[in-house]
Amino acid sequence: MGESNFGALRTAPNRPVAPDFTAQVFTRIGLDRYVTAASAIGEVFVAWRSGGVSALRIAGDAMTFESWYGERFGRRVVPAREEDPISAAARAKLGGDEVEVPIDLGECSPFERRVLEKAAEITRCNARPYGWVARELGVPDATRAVGNALGRNPVPLLIPCHRVIRTDFTVGGYVFGSETKRTLLEAEGLDFAAIERVTRGGFRYVGDDDDGTFCLPTCGTVATRVGSPGFVALRSVDEAHAHGLRPCSTCRPIAA
DNA sequence: TGGGTGACGACGC
DNA sequence: AGCGTCGCCACCC
């Protein structure tokens, strides 16, 4: 069908066809493209279109990636011939720069979008429970749905869904496997051995007598110091209040 | 329309 | 402590 349209155009009278006609049409239509880029978990494929990065997967067989992409998004993706501002931004971010990367969430449902946008707020060296995301979104019973939405994150790493973990502070699932998730979080500065030492026995919060706040043990403000002197392990919010502690405004350990 | 599925969580042994 | 069960919600047929 598309072929015959091209044929009709090609034979239009008095109108020479530019050699790169096909490329021009694809550019105008916005054909999706991809490159490989280095990341914390090795080489990845990064695909994008006019609106921003549309997909990220671990690099491997190009055919497999292209057919996965077509299956998932219903569009064709081809290797890029040159860098683009969007791929350049993604490359920089994957390399560790704190830059904004436009993301195309076009195929996501409104709920999935909200979940991914919330996950995008979680900064390095931090982790939050699935239930925390649900609560922040105003649907505290939708924790399971939050997990499903994160599981469909089209752009892992760029939207750091690996920073959402289980309420018991075990890492939980991940597209690239739980081990990879744990490795990523450790590389960002979370010390799971220390976290496990604290949470063993049902401790859920960490109080800091110095600044008078209590946090999730995976809050970046305490993550590198969990278990050191000056911190008290707490089993409940009541215990925190008994110590005269107020909730940390960064990790917001309880509902506002 | 309705039943099945899943990166969860609380509870009971 | 670890496992099964069951409720929950959004999504997909």
Side-chain angles (χ1 to χ4, degrees), chain A residues 26 62 145 161 228 246:
Chain A
F26 281 162
C161 59
S228 50
R246 67 183 189 283

Side-chain angles (χ1 to χ4, degrees), chain A residues 178-199:
Chain A
S178 296
E179 277 309 305
T180 300
K181 183 174 181 177
R182 185 186 172 109
T183 303
L184 274 169
L185 291 169
E186 292 269 359
E188 293 180 357
L190 252 39
D191 182 350
F192 273 96
I195 290 166
E196 280 157 16
R197 275 196 299 279
V198 169
T199 57

Side-chain angles (χ1 to χ4, degrees), chain A residues 33-69:
Chain A
R33 302 176 183 284
Y34 72 97
V35 293
T36 61
S39 80
I41 58 175
E43 288 283 313
V44 293
F45 288 136
V46 176
W48 75 94
R49 61 207 306 257
S50 58
V53 176
S54 51
L56 183 151
R57 298 281 109 170
I58 291 178
D61 179 59
M63 261 344 165
T64 305
F65 172 71
E66 290 174 19
S67 60
W68 168 83
Y69 193 94

